[in-house]
Amino acid sequence: MEVFLFYIAGFVSLTATMLVITRMNASHALIYLIISLLAIAVIFYLLGAPFAAALEIVIYAGAIMVLFLFVVMMLNLGRSSVDQEQHWFLPRMWVMPGILTTILLLEMIYLLVAPTSSAGISSSGTAVSPKEVGITLFGPYLITVELASILLLASLVGTYHLGRRYLRARREEIA
Amino acid sequence: MQSEFIMILPVLLGAMLGAAALVWWERRLLAFWQDRLGPNRLGPFGSLQIIADVVKLLTKDDWVPPFADRVVFTLAPLAIVAGMLMGFAVVPYGPGLHIIDLNVGLLFFLAMTSLAVYGVLLSGLASNNKYALLGGLRSAAQMVTYEVFMGLSLMGIVIQTGSFNLNDIVQAQEDMWFVVPQIVGFVIFLIAGIAETHRLPFDLPEAEHELTAGFHTEYSGMKFGLIMVGEYLAVILTSAIIVTLFFGGWLGPDFLPPIVWFSLKTAFFICFFILLRAALPRPRYDQLMSLGWKILLPLTLLNILITGAVLLAMEG
């Protein structure tokens, strides 16, 4: 049963991701990207990681994608950008990425069906509770968490700096 | 497992009927507080006004503007209602009375409310209208901002309980409601909850004096009805979560069954939401944003820090 659900969620996420790439309208592409992230959250849940699934929705689908959509709304892309996209997005652009992804797909199918495969899906995976995630994150992986937070702090300071320059220029303009 | 499936229908019915009843109840209460009568003609105390409203909405011309993005325009109101209804799945209504007992229940609630944002955003974007777009933009910024504190303000409770499970959180309030030790978290969650449901006084995405009707300017008929229902569902869900997290959920003295305690407490907070609408003026948009980032965010972080420190000191 869980294997079926896994394949359904996998199919949805793959199809949605394909549609993200091929849509000409930016807001439609974003909606498919959100669907793809939701499907990945379902996969996380099935593999016994409810905490990762919840965070996938809260952070990726619920916050980061909202910001993407925010930018799309700010730019207010209309008919003209769709035409432009159509002009840029030619069939011959497909060839190289197509070949490369087919190789990867074949490799993955081989890994799934190969008898000695260790990458097969096990529906007997044990569920990991939020507490265990926390203990692992702040135990053996503490340095990674700290490095990630330093990276975020750096980007925060950088963004603030860029904004400040803009604000100062504006203030001088007014004065 | 079986009993949990059976719960789906009553919860769904209860939430939808509650949302419908609120359409009338809100107008009556507002009228009471503003020294008016409100709808009082149809049925006892005007309660049949709901049916009249539904008939009106269903028989109205359901117009999709020719310049709108048809598919997204139609799906957006559904996303609002679906997201909110999903949130009801993790609320514990009584001992053992819940649809699903998730060990990440609190995060599930936050996830579903954050998905409901898309309904508002996409309806604003798909309407292809300047007022709707501005309303959608405002709600995007407002909701992303307030989602941050909404999640963080609850972390004090998670620290005290040691669990994201809503049933565990209710059980942990046997001796004392969390509103006492987590009063800061409660106030911040309440403010964030109002901003998330974009109810007055924080209804800037649809501020009618400057944006006509904001993100739902172009909506008519039952599509508009769905947006209204979504808003009332959000009010009920937020009240239910406030009760569960800060006011002991279904816990209460023995002379009333737990589900009655839960309903009474939830009804109290729904009325409180309506009172806020009657009593408070709308802030300016920049005031709303700077209140969030400059006051509420540091307060929330301080709350988490102090809760953690106190707990550590008590254990050590």
Side-chain angles (χ1 to χ4, degrees), chain A residues 90-170:
Chain A
L90 301 171
R92 66 191 155 85
M93 303 238 175
W94 279 92
V95 181
M96 268 320 271
I99 292 169
L100 291 176
T101 40
T102 316
I103 295 170
L104 276 180
L105 184 68
L106 291 175
E107 217 170 62
M108 201 186 75
I109 291 171
Y110 171 75
L111 279 176
L112 283 177
V113 294
T116 54
S117 155
S118 58
I121 313 121
S122 62
S123 53
S124 61
T126 46
V128 183
S129 73
K131 205 172 220 162
E132 288 168 62
V133 176
I135 290 168
T136 331
L137 268 185
F138 286 89
Y141 295 108
L142 183 62
I143 192 117
T144 329
V145 176
E146 294 296 337
L147 283 176
S149 66
I150 289 171
L151 187 67
L152 284 175
L153 185 66
S155 59
L156 191 68
V157 172
T159 321
Y160 181 66
H161 180 67
L162 289 175
R164 237 168 76 93
R165 267 168 58 192
Y166 169 76
L167 280 181
R168 193 178 297 152
R170 278 291 300 272

Coordinates of all heavy atoms in Angstrom, one line a residue, chain A residues 90-170:
Chain A
L90 N 13.0 27.3 -27.5 CA 12.9 26.6 -28.7 C 13.1 25.1 -28.5 O 13.8 24.6 -27.6 CB 13.9 27.1 -29.7 CG 13.8 28.6 -30.0 CD1 15.0 29.1 -30.8 CD2 12.5 28.9 -30.8
P91 N 12.5 24.2 -29.4 CA 12.6 22.8 -29.3 C 14.0 22.3 -29.3 O 14.4 21.4 -28.6 CB 11.9 22.3 -30.6 CG 11.0 23.3 -31.0 CD 11.6 24.6 -30.5
R92 N 15.0 23.0 -30.0 CA 16.3 22.5 -30.0 C 17.1 22.7 -28.7 O 18.1 22.0 -28.5 CB 17.1 23.1 -31.2 CG 17.3 24.5 -31.2 CD 17.9 25.0 -32.5 NE 17.5 26.4 -32.7 CZ 18.3 27.4 -32.3 NH1 19.4 27.2 -31.6 NH2 18.0 28.7 -32.5
M93 N 16.5 23.5 -27.9 CA 17.1 23.7 -26.5 C 16.9 22.4 -25.7 O 17.5 22.2 -24.7 CB 16.4 24.8 -25.8 CG 16.4 26.1 -26.5 SD 17.2 27.3 -25.5 CE 17.3 28.6 -26.5
W94 N 16.0 21.6 -26.1 CA 15.6 20.4 -25.3 C 16.7 19.3 -25.4 O 16.7 18.4 -24.6 CB 14.3 19.8 -25.9 CG 13.1 20.5 -25.4 CD1 12.5 21.6 -25.9 CD2 12.4 20.2 -24.2 NE1 11.4 22.0 -25.2 CE2 11.4 21.1 -24.1 CE3 12.6 19.3 -23.2 CZ2 10.5 21.1 -23.0 CZ3 11.7 19.3 -22.1 CH2 10.7 20.2 -22.0
V95 N 17.4 19.3 -26.5 CA 18.2 18.1 -26.9 C 19.2 17.7 -25.8 O 19.1 16.6 -25.2 CB 18.9 18.3 -28.2 CG1 19.7 17.1 -28.6 CG2 17.9 18.7 -29.3
M96 N 20.1 18.6 -25.4 CA 21.1 18.2 -24.5 C 20.5 17.9 -23.1 O 20.8 16.8 -22.6 CB 22.2 19.3 -24.3 CG 23.4 19.1 -25.2 SD 23.9 17.4 -25.4 CE 25.1 17.3 -24.1
P97 N 19.7 18.8 -22.5 CA 19.1 18.4 -21.2 C 18.3 17.1 -21.3 O 18.4 16.3 -20.3 CB 18.2 19.5 -20.9 CG 18.6 20.6 -21.7 CD 19.3 20.1 -22.9
G98 N 17.7 16.9 -22.4 CA 16.9 15.6 -22.6 C 17.8 14.4 -22.5 O 17.5 13.4 -21.8
I99 N 18.9 14.4 -23.2 CA 19.8 13.3 -23.2 C 20.4 13.0 -21.8 O 20.4 11.9 -21.3 CB 21.0 13.5 -24.2 CG1 20.5 13.5 -25.7 CG2 22.1 12.5 -24.1 CD1 21.5 14.0 -26.7
L100 N 20.8 14.1 -21.2 CA 21.4 14.0 -19.8 C 20.4 13.4 -18.8 O 20.7 12.5 -18.1 CB 21.9 15.3 -19.4 CG 23.1 15.8 -20.1 CD1 23.5 17.2 -19.6 CD2 24.3 14.9 -20.0
T101 N 19.2 13.9 -18.9 CA 18.2 13.4 -17.9 C 17.8 12.0 -18.2 O 17.5 11.2 -17.3 CB 16.9 14.3 -17.8 OG1 16.6 14.6 -19.1 CG2 17.1 15.5 -16.9
T102 N 17.8 11.6 -19.5 CA 17.4 10.2 -19.8 C 18.5 9.3 -19.3 O 18.2 8.2 -18.7 CB 17.4 10.0 -21.4 OG1 16.7 11.1 -21.9 CG2 16.7 8.7 -21.7
I103 N 19.8 9.7 -19.4 CA 20.8 8.8 -18.8 C 20.6 8.6 -17.3 O 20.6 7.5 -16.8 CB 22.2 9.5 -19.0 CG1 22.6 9.5 -20.5 CG2 23.3 8.7 -18.3 CD1 23.8 10.3 -20.8
L104 N 20.3 9.7 -16.6 CA 20.1 9.6 -15.2 C 18.9 8.8 -14.9 O 18.9 7.9 -13.9 CB 19.8 11.0 -14.6 CG 21.0 11.9 -14.2 CD1 20.6 13.2 -13.7 CD2 21.9 11.1 -13.2
L105 N 17.8 8.9 -15.7 CA 16.6 8.1 -15.5 C 16.9 6.6 -15.6 O 16.5 5.8 -14.8 CB 15.5 8.6 -16.5 CG 14.2 7.9 -16.3 CD1 13.5 8.4 -15.0 CD2 13.3 8.2 -17.5
L106 N 17.6 6.3 -16.7 CA 18.0 4.9 -16.9 C 18.8 4.3 -15.7 O 18.5 3.2 -15.2 CB 18.8 4.7 -18.2 CG 18.0 5.0 -19.5 CD1 18.9 4.9 -20.7 CD2 16.8 4.0 -19.6
E107 N 19.7 5.1 -15.3 CA 20.5 4.7 -14.1 C 19.7 4.4 -12.9 O 19.8 3.4 -12.2 CB 21.5 5.9 -13.8 CG 22.9 5.4 -13.4 CD 23.8 6.6 -13.3 OE1 23.6 7.5 -12.5 OE2 24.8 6.6 -14.1
M108 N 18.7 5.3 -12.7 CA 17.8 5.2 -11.5 C 17.0 3.9 -11.6 O 16.8 3.2 -10.7 CB 17.0 6.4 -11.3 CG 16.4 6.5 -9.9 SD 15.3 7.9 -9.8 CE 13.9 7.2 -10.6
I109 N 16.4 3.7 -12.8 CA 15.6 2.5 -13.0 C 16.4 1.2 -12.8 O 16.0 0.3 -12.2 CB 15.0 2.5 -14.5 CG1 13.9 3.7 -14.6 CG2 14.3 1.2 -14.8 CD1 13.4 3.9 -16.0
Y110 N 17.7 1.3 -13.3 CA 18.5 0.1 -13.1 C 18.7 -0.1 -11.6 O 18.6 -1.3 -11.1 CB 19.9 0.3 -13.8 CG 20.9 -0.7 -13.5 CD1 20.8 -2.0 -14.0 CD2 21.9 -0.5 -12.6 CE1 21.7 -3.0 -13.7 CE2 22.8 -1.5 -12.2 CZ 22.7 -2.7 -12.8 OH 23.6 -3.7 -12.4
L111 N 19.0 0.9 -10.9 CA 19.2 0.8 -9.4 C 18.0 0.2 -8.7 O 18.1 -0.6 -7.8 CB 19.6 2.1 -8.8 CG 21.0 2.6 -9.0 CD1 21.2 4.0 -8.4 CD2 21.9 1.6 -8.3
L112 N 16.8 0.6 -9.2 CA 15.6 0.2 -8.6 C 15.3 -1.3 -8.8 O 14.9 -2.0 -7.9 CB 14.4 1.0 -9.0 CG 14.3 2.4 -8.4 CD1 13.1 3.1 -9.0 CD2 14.2 2.3 -6.9
V113 N 15.6 -1.8 -10.1 CA 15.3 -3.2 -10.4 C 16.4 -4.1 -10.2 O 16.2 -5.3 -10.1 CB 14.8 -3.3 -11.9 CG1 13.5 -2.5 -12.0 CG2 15.8 -2.8 -12.8
A114 N 17.6 -3.6 -10.1 CA 18.8 -4.5 -9.9 C 18.6 -5.4 -8.6 O 18.2 -4.9 -7.6 CB 20.1 -3.7 -9.8
P115 N 18.9 -6.7 -8.7 CA 18.7 -7.6 -7.6 C 19.5 -7.2 -6.4 O 19.1 -7.4 -5.2 CB 19.0 -9.0 -8.2 CG 19.9 -8.7 -9.4 CD 19.4 -7.4 -9.9
T116 N 20.7 -6.7 -6.6 CA 21.6 -6.4 -5.5 C 21.4 -5.0 -4.9 O 22.2 -4.5 -4.2 CB 23.1 -6.6 -5.8 OG1 23.3 -5.8 -7.0 CG2 23.4 -8.0 -6.2
S117 N 20.3 -4.4 -5.4 CA 20.0 -3.0 -5.1 C 19.9 -2.8 -3.6 O 19.2 -3.5 -2.9 CB 18.8 -2.6 -5.8 OG 18.2 -1.5 -5.1
S118 N 20.5 -1.7 -3.1 CA 20.4 -1.3 -1.7 C 19.5 -0.1 -1.6 O 19.2 0.4 -0.6 CB 21.7 -1.1 -1.1 OG 22.4 -0.1 -1.8
A119 N 19.2 0.5 -2.8 CA 18.5 1.7 -2.8 C 17.0 1.5 -3.0 O 16.2 2.5 -3.2 CB 19.0 2.6 -4.0
G120 N 16.5 0.2 -2.9 CA 15.1 0.0 -3.0 C 14.3 0.6 -1.9 O 14.8 1.0 -0.9
I121 N 13.0 0.8 -2.2 CA 12.2 1.5 -1.2 C 11.8 0.4 -0.1 O 11.3 -0.6 -0.4 CB 10.9 2.1 -1.8 CG1 11.3 2.8 -3.0 CG2 10.2 2.9 -0.8 CD1 10.5 2.3 -4.2
S122 N 12.0 0.7 1.1 CA 11.6 -0.2 2.2 C 10.4 0.5 2.9 O 10.5 1.6 3.4 CB 12.7 -0.4 3.2 OG 13.1 0.8 3.8
S123 N 9.3 -0.2 2.8 CA 8.1 0.3 3.5 C 8.2 0.1 5.0 O 7.4 0.5 5.8 CB 6.8 -0.3 3.0 OG 7.0 -1.7 3.0
S124 N 9.3 -0.7 5.4 CA 9.4 -1.0 6.8 C 10.3 0.1 7.5 O 10.7 -0.1 8.7 CB 10.0 -2.3 7.0 OG 11.3 -2.3 6.4
G125 N 10.5 1.2 6.9 CA 11.4 2.2 7.5 C 10.7 2.7 8.8 O 9.5 2.9 8.9
T126 N 11.6 3.0 9.8 CA 11.0 3.4 11.0 C 10.8 4.9 11.0 O 11.6 5.6 10.4 CB 12.0 3.1 12.2 OG1 13.3 3.5 11.8 CG2 12.0 1.6 12.5
A127 N 9.7 5.3 11.7 CA 9.4 6.7 11.7 C 10.3 7.4 12.7 O 10.7 6.9 13.7 CB 8.0 6.9 12.2
V128 N 10.8 8.6 12.2 CA 11.7 9.4 13.1 C 10.9 10.5 13.7 O 10.3 11.3 13.0 CB 12.8 10.0 12.2 CG1 13.8 10.7 13.1 CG2 13.5 8.9 11.4
S129 N 10.9 10.6 15.0 CA 10.1 11.6 15.7 C 10.8 13.0 15.7 O 12.1 13.0 15.5 CB 9.8 11.2 17.1 OG 10.9 11.3 17.9
P130 N 10.1 14.1 15.8 CA 10.8 15.4 15.8 C 11.9 15.5 16.9 O 12.9 16.1 16.7 CB 9.7 16.3 16.2 CG 8.4 15.7 15.8 CD 8.7 14.2 15.9
K131 N 11.7 14.8 18.0 CA 12.7 14.8 19.1 C 14.0 14.2 18.6 O 15.1 14.8 18.9 CB 12.1 14.0 20.3 CG 12.7 14.5 21.6 CD 12.0 13.8 22.7 CE 11.7 14.7 23.9 NZ 10.7 14.2 24.8
E132 N 13.9 13.1 17.9 CA 15.1 12.4 17.5 C 15.9 13.4 16.5 O 17.1 13.4 16.5 CB 14.8 11.1 16.8 CG 14.4 10.0 17.8 CD 13.8 8.8 17.1 OE1 14.6 8.2 16.3 OE2 12.6 8.5 17.3
V133 N 15.1 14.0 15.6 CA 15.7 14.9 14.6 C 16.5 16.0 15.4 O 17.7 16.3 15.1 CB 14.7 15.6 13.7 CG1 15.3 16.6 12.8 CG2 13.9 14.5 12.9
G134 N 15.8 16.6 16.4 CA 16.5 17.6 17.2 C 17.8 17.1 17.9 O 18.8 17.8 17.8
I135 N 17.7 15.9 18.5 CA 18.9 15.4 19.2 C 20.0 15.2 18.2 O 21.2 15.5 18.5 CB 18.5 14.1 19.9 CG1 17.6 14.4 21.1 CG2 19.7 13.4 20.4 CD1 16.9 13.2 21.7
T136 N 19.7 14.7 17.0 CA 20.8 14.5 16.0 C 21.3 15.8 15.5 O 22.5 15.9 15.4 CB 20.2 13.7 14.8 OG1 19.2 12.9 15.2 CG2 21.3 12.9 14.2
L137 N 20.4 16.8 15.3 CA 20.9 18.1 14.7 C 21.8 18.8 15.7 O 22.8 19.3 15.3 CB 19.7 18.9 14.4 CG 19.1 18.9 13.0 CD1 18.0 19.9 12.9 CD2 20.2 19.1 12.0
F138 N 21.4 18.8 17.0 CA 22.2 19.5 18.0 C 23.2 18.6 18.7 O 23.8 19.0 19.7 CB 21.3 20.2 18.9 CG 20.6 21.4 18.3 CD1 19.4 21.3 17.6 CD2 21.3 22.6 18.3 CE1 18.9 22.4 17.0 CE2 20.7 23.7 17.7 CZ 19.5 23.6 17.0
G139 N 23.4 17.4 18.2 CA 24.4 16.5 18.7 C 25.5 16.4 17.7 O 26.3 17.3 17.6
P140 N 25.6 15.3 17.0 CA 26.7 15.1 16.0 C 26.8 16.1 14.9 O 27.9 16.4 14.4 CB 26.4 13.7 15.5 CG 25.0 13.3 15.9 CD 24.7 14.1 17.0
Y141 N 25.6 16.8 14.6 CA 25.7 17.7 13.4 C 25.7 19.1 13.9 O 25.3 20.0 13.1 CB 24.5 17.4 12.5 CG 24.6 16.0 11.8 CD1 23.8 15.0 12.2 CD2 25.6 15.8 10.9 CE1 23.9 13.8 11.6 CE2 25.7 14.6 10.3 CZ 24.9 13.5 10.6 OH 25.0 12.3 10.1
L142 N 26.0 19.4 15.1 CA 25.9 20.8 15.6 C 26.7 21.8 14.8 O 26.2 22.9 14.5 CB 26.5 20.8 17.1 CG 26.4 22.2 17.7 CD1 24.9 22.5 17.9 CD2 27.0 22.1 19.1
I143 N 27.9 21.4 14.3 CA 28.7 22.3 13.5 C 28.1 22.7 12.2 O 28.1 23.9 11.8 CB 30.1 21.7 13.3 CG1 31.1 22.8 12.8 CG2 30.1 20.6 12.4 CD1 32.2 23.1 13.8
T144 N 27.3 21.8 11.6 CA 26.6 22.1 10.4 C 25.5 23.1 10.6 O 25.4 24.1 9.9 CB 26.0 20.8 9.8 OG1 26.8 19.7 10.1 CG2 25.8 20.9 8.3
V145 N 24.8 22.9 11.7 CA 23.7 23.9 12.1 C 24.3 25.2 12.3 O 23.8 26.3 11.8 CB 23.0 23.4 13.3 CG1 22.0 24.4 13.8 CG2 22.3 22.0 13.1
E146 N 25.4 25.3 13.0 CA 26.1 26.6 13.3 C 26.5 27.3 12.0 O 26.3 28.5 11.8 CB 27.2 26.4 14.3 CG 26.8 25.9 15.6 CD 26.0 27.0 16.4 OE1 26.0 28.1 16.0 OE2 25.2 26.5 17.3
L147 N 27.2 26.5 11.1 CA 27.6 27.0 9.8 C 26.5 27.5 9.0 O 26.6 28.6 8.4 CB 28.4 25.9 9.1 CG 29.8 25.7 9.6 CD1 30.5 24.5 8.8 CD2 30.7 26.9 9.5
A148 N 25.4 26.8 9.0 CA 24.2 27.2 8.2 C 23.7 28.5 8.8 O 23.3 29.5 8.0 CB 23.1 26.2 8.2
S149 N 23.7 28.7 10.1 CA 23.1 29.9 10.7 C 24.1 31.1 10.4 O 23.6 32.2 10.2 CB 22.9 29.7 12.2 OG 24.1 29.6 12.8
I150 N 25.4 30.8 10.4 CA 26.3 31.9 10.0 C 26.1 32.3 8.6 O 26.1 33.5 8.3 CB 27.8 31.4 10.3 CG1 28.0 31.3 11.8 CG2 28.8 32.4 9.6 CD1 29.4 30.7 12.1
L151 N 25.9 31.4 7.7 CA 25.6 31.7 6.3 C 24.4 32.6 6.2 O 24.4 33.6 5.5 CB 25.4 30.4 5.5 CG 25.3 30.5 4.0 CD1 26.7 31.0 3.4 CD2 24.9 29.2 3.4
L152 N 23.3 32.2 6.9 CA 22.1 33.0 6.9 C 22.3 34.4 7.4 O 21.8 35.4 6.8 CB 21.0 32.3 7.7 CG 20.4 31.1 7.0 CD1 19.4 30.4 8.0 CD2 19.7 31.5 5.8
L153 N 23.1 34.5 8.5 CA 23.4 35.8 9.1 C 24.1 36.6 8.0 O 23.8 37.8 7.9 CB 24.2 35.6 10.3 CG 24.5 36.9 11.1 CD1 23.2 37.4 11.7 CD2 25.5 36.6 12.2
A154 N 25.1 36.0 7.3 CA 25.9 36.8 6.3 C 25.0 37.3 5.2 O 25.1 38.5 4.8 CB 27.0 35.9 5.7
S155 N 24.0 36.5 4.8 CA 23.1 36.9 3.7 C 22.2 38.0 4.2 O 21.9 38.9 3.5 CB 22.4 35.8 3.1 OG 21.6 35.1 4.1
L156 N 21.8 37.9 5.5 CA 21.0 38.9 6.1 C 21.7 40.3 6.1 O 21.1 41.3 5.7 CB 20.6 38.5 7.5 CG 19.5 39.3 8.2 CD1 18.2 39.0 7.6 CD2 19.4 38.9 9.7
V157 N 22.9 40.3 6.6 CA 23.7 41.5 6.6 C 23.9 42.0 5.2 O 23.8 43.3 5.0 CB 25.1 41.2 7.3 CG1 26.0 42.4 7.2 CG2 24.8 40.9 8.8
G158 N 24.2 41.2 4.3 CA 24.4 41.6 2.9 C 23.2 42.3 2.3 O 23.2 43.3 1.7
T159 N 22.0 41.7 2.6 CA 20.7 42.2 2.0 C 20.5 43.6 2.7 O 20.1 44.5 2.0 CB 19.6 41.3 2.4 OG1 20.0 40.0 2.2 CG2 18.4 41.6 1.5
Y160 N 20.7 43.7 4.0 CA 20.5 44.9 4.7 C 21.4 46.0 4.1 O 21.0 47.2 3.9 CB 20.8 44.7 6.2 CG 20.6 46.0 6.9 CD1 19.3 46.5 7.1 CD2 21.7 46.7 7.5 CE1 19.1 47.7 7.8 CE2 21.4 47.8 8.3 CZ 20.2 48.3 8.4 OH 20.0 49.5 9.1
H161 N 22.7 45.6 3.8 CA 23.6 46.6 3.2 C 23.2 47.1 1.9 O 23.2 48.3 1.6 CB 25.0 45.9 3.1 CG 26.1 46.8 2.6 ND1 26.5 47.9 3.3 CD2 26.7 46.8 1.4 CE1 27.4 48.5 2.5 NE2 27.6 47.8 1.4
L162 N 22.7 46.2 1.0 CA 22.2 46.6 -0.3 C 21.0 47.6 -0.1 O 21.0 48.6 -0.8 CB 21.8 45.4 -1.1 CG 22.9 44.5 -1.6 CD1 22.4 43.3 -2.3 CD2 23.8 45.3 -2.6
G163 N 20.1 47.2 0.8 CA 18.9 48.1 1.0 C 19.3 49.4 1.5 O 18.7 50.4 1.1
R164 N 20.3 49.5 2.3 CA 20.7 50.7 2.9 C 21.3 51.7 1.9 O 21.0 52.9 1.9 CB 21.8 50.5 4.0 CG 21.5 51.0 5.3 CD 22.5 50.5 6.3 NE 23.7 51.1 6.2 CZ 24.1 52.2 7.0 NH1 23.2 52.6 7.9 NH2 25.3 52.7 6.9
R165 N 22.1 51.1 0.9 CA 22.6 52.0 -0.1 C 21.5 52.6 -0.9 O 21.5 53.8 -1.2 CB 23.5 51.2 -1.0 CG 25.0 51.3 -0.5 CD 25.9 50.3 -1.2 NE 25.9 50.4 -2.6 CZ 26.4 49.5 -3.4 NH1 26.9 48.4 -2.9 NH2 26.4 49.7 -4.7
Y166 N 20.5 51.8 -1.2 CA 19.3 52.3 -2.0 C 18.6 53.4 -1.2 O 18.3 54.4 -1.8 CB 18.4 51.1 -2.3 CG 17.1 51.5 -2.9 CD1 17.0 51.8 -4.2 CD2 16.0 51.5 -2.1 CE1 15.8 52.2 -4.7 CE2 14.7 51.8 -2.6 CZ 14.6 52.2 -3.9 OH 13.4 52.5 -4.4
L167 N 18.4 53.1 0.1 CA 17.7 54.1 0.9 C 18.4 55.4 1.0 O 17.8 56.5 0.9 CB 17.4 53.5 2.3 CG 16.3 52.5 2.4 CD1 16.1 52.1 3.8 CD2 15.0 53.2 1.9
R168 N 19.8 55.3 1.1 CA 20.5 56.6 1.2 C 20.4 57.4 -0.1 O 20.3 58.6 0.0 CB 22.0 56.2 1.5 CG 22.8 57.4 2.0 CD 24.2 57.1 2.3 NE 24.3 56.1 3.4 CZ 25.3 55.2 3.6 NH1 26.2 55.1 2.7 NH2 25.3 54.5 4.6
A169 N 20.5 56.7 -1.2 CA 20.4 57.4 -2.5 C 19.1 58.0 -2.6 O 19.0 59.2 -3.1 CB 20.6 56.3 -3.6
R170 N 18.0 57.4 -2.2 CA 16.7 57.9 -2.2 C 16.6 59.2 -1.4 O 16.0 60.2 -1.7 CB 15.7 56.9 -1.8 CG 15.3 55.9 -2.8 CD 14.4 56.5 -3.9 NE 13.2 57.1 -3.4 CZ 12.1 56.4 -3.3 NH1 12.0 55.2 -3.6 NH2 11.0 57.0 -2.8

